[in-house]
Amino acid sequence: MSDDARKIELAEFASIMGDTSGRKVLRRILEVSGAEADSFSADPYVHARNAGKREVGLWLKRELEAADLGRYIRMMTENEDG
């Protein structure tokens, strides 16, 4: 990916986080992915599924942090109580 394409991609993530609805959707995706959860299960098939979902969530988290750390922090803190 070229530097220009990368800048555009990060700007798009930042733009999504600039909107309340966008932040809610992204936060929900992070929650569903289990990015902050332990993926371990004694069942190897469940463990593999959990680990795959978590990897996608961790990728998204890194992208959002790189795009705009301030907006990422706002997203993660604005609805902590539900």
Side-chain angles (χ1 to χ4, degrees), residues 1 6 9 12 18 22 24 28-29 32 34 40 48 53 56-57 59 61 72 77 79-80:
M1 175 180 294
R6 179 68 177 148
E9 188 175 72
E12 290 168 342
K24 286 180 180 181
R28 179 72 177 129
I29 292 169
V32 169
F40 177 77
K53 285 174 41 178
V56 171
W59 169 83
K61 180 180 175 181
Y72 173 79
T77 60
N79 292 314
E80 286 181 336

Side-chain angles (χ1 to χ4, degrees), residues 15-59:
S15 177
I16 295 168
M17 287 190 295
D19 178 71
T20 302
S21 295
R23 289 191 302 274
K24 286 180 180 181
V25 169
L26 290 171
R27 179 145 183 189
R28 179 72 177 129
I29 292 169
L30 289 173
E31 289 171 359
V32 169
S33 75
E36 301 299 324
D38 183 1
S39 59
F40 177 77
S41 172
D43 181 325
Y45 297 105
V46 173
H47 176 81
R49 181 174 186 269
N50 292 346
K53 285 174 41 178
R54 186 170 185 263
E55 181 59 29
V56 171
L58 292 174
W59 169 83

